[in-house]
Amino acid sequence: MKFIKILKDIFAPKKCYSCWKEWHFLCLSCLQKCDNFDESCFFCKNPSMNFEIHEDCKKESNIDQIIVLTHYKNSVIKKLIKDAKFYKKKDILEDFSFYLSKLLLKYQKNIKKSDQLLIPVPMYFLRKWKRWYNQSEILSDNISKFTKILSRSDILVRKRNTIQQSKIWMKQRQNNLLWAFWVKNKFQDILRWKHIILVDDVISTGSTLIEIANLLKKYGVWKITVIVIASD
């Protein structure tokens, strides 16, 4: 695989979607020019150190921290994510994983890596079969390589092929996700006292991640962090 990667870098090098310089799909200088997220509580949008969720905002979400790299409204970011998800350009996710890893290490300095676990948001098996891959799994695996935090895509399962949340009315969203996820019985005990880091590409209302967080907390998870590339 490394040999193939080297050949691709030589004969078809990555080019930044913004400035067209080689070796990255999004170079650091162009990322820094984007309107990136300041440290804030995702739900109320007020400033919050380390992206921590305020206690009043945490009552129904069970999420302790939501770290967002940048804004989905940026046309370059939107194009990169769509190409990575729907047009088989999986290498784009490696660049995003590196930037997400730097954020994660910055805001998780005092937590032992042995107490942490990366879990990608699962995709329904038929949808994954059709697309060939789950972009959240690729992000999680790459973040694991950069941070040395264990990534596990076999713990959480999506049982139902739910409708995309952005395509239905707000009142329908809760029922759409009801009983959509399941923790495999043989892994339930290892979640106790763990700091779970949920990995996804985009967060909108957060309803999917809230549903997962509520499920994980039932198994004694100590803290839940969400890390994503972009949000509206």
Side-chain angles (χ1 to χ4, degrees):
M1 291 297 290
K2 287 185 178 180
F3 178 69
I4 294 173
K5 189 176 185 300
I6 291 169
L7 287 177
K8 286 174 69 176
D9 288 342
I10 293 172
F11 295 106
K14 300 175 181 179
K15 289 186 179 180
C16 178
Y17 273 45
S18 183
C19 68
W20 298 104
K21 290 179 182 177
E22 293 186 349
W23 308 117
H24 292 282
F25 286 113
L26 181 66
C27 68
L28 180 59
S29 60
C30 288
L31 173 65
Q32 290 172 338
K33 292 175 185 176
C34 295
D35 184 18
N36 294 326
F37 268 76
D38 295 324
E39 293 178 42
S40 61
C41 171
F42 177 80
F43 296 108
C44 70
K45 311 304 180 187
N46 290 319
S48 179
M49 187 177 294
N50 299 331
F51 290 94
E52 296 284 343
I53 303 301
H54 296 136
E55 287 301 319
D56 288 343
C57 302
K58 199 189 298 183
K59 291 177 181 177
E60 295 183 6
S61 76
N62 270 320
I63 298 175
D64 301 281
Q65 183 182 35
I66 298 179
I67 302 171
V68 185
L69 177 63
T70 189
H71 287 272
Y72 190 68
K73 66 184 179 183
N74 183 289
S75 59
V76 173
I77 298 298
K78 186 181 293 187
K79 172 69 171 166
L80 282 161
I81 292 173
K82 285 187 175 181
D83 282 359
K85 287 177 71 169
F86 304 115
Y87 297 102
K88 311 277 188 301
K89 295 185 179 181
K90 296 184 286 184
D91 288 350
I92 291 171
L93 299 169
E94 187 173 356
D95 281 353
F96 279 130
S97 299
F98 176 70
Y99 298 135
L100 290 175
S101 298
K102 289 179 69 176
L103 276 184
L104 191 59
L105 293 173
K106 178 180 178 180
Y107 296 117
Q108 302 293 336
K109 291 179 181 177
N110 300 320
I111 302 177
K112 292 181 181 179
K113 291 181 182 178
S114 58
D115 294 333
Q116 296 177 305
L117 202 60
L118 290 157
I119 295 182
V121 172
M123 184 181 287
Y124 188 62
F125 77 99
L126 286 176
R127 187 177 294 180
K128 184 179 177 181
W129 174 79
K130 185 178 180 181
R131 191 179 293 177
W132 297 0
Y133 59 91
N134 176 358
Q135 70 279 355
S136 299
E137 281 185 29
I138 295 173
L139 284 170
S140 186
D141 289 343
N142 280 322
I143 292 171
S144 178
K145 291 175 186 176
F146 290 128
T147 63
K148 308 305 179 186
I149 299 169
L150 184 63
S151 175
R152 294 289 297 269
S153 59
D154 55 345
I155 292 176
L156 189 64
V157 177
R158 189 185 286 258
K159 296 190 295 182
R160 295 192 294 106
N161 190 18
T162 54
I163 303 168
Q164 190 174 330
Q165 291 289 92
S166 60
K167 294 182 178 180
I168 58 177
W169 295 103
M170 188 67 69
K171 291 181 180 180
Q172 297 174 302
R173 290 180 178 180
Q174 188 172 1
N175 289 333
N176 181 48
L177 293 169
L178 194 62
W179 308 112
F181 300 97
W182 171 58
V183 174
K184 291 182 181 178
N185 294 338
K186 60 182 178 180
F187 298 128
Q188 292 174 1
D189 290 340
I190 71 170
L191 294 174
R192 187 172 298 278
W193 299 114
K194 284 288 187 183
H195 173 203
I196 300 300
I197 303 162
L198 294 173
V199 182
D200 208 359
D201 55 344
V202 177
I203 183 172
S204 183
T205 63
S207 52
T208 299
L209 290 154
I210 290 171
E211 184 71 19
I212 293 172
N214 290 340
L215 173 65
L216 293 177
K217 283 284 187 173
K218 293 177 181 178
Y219 298 104
V221 168
W222 162 59
K223 181 178 180 180
I224 294 178
T225 289
V226 170
I227 188 162
V228 297
I229 299 169
S231 178
D232 298 334

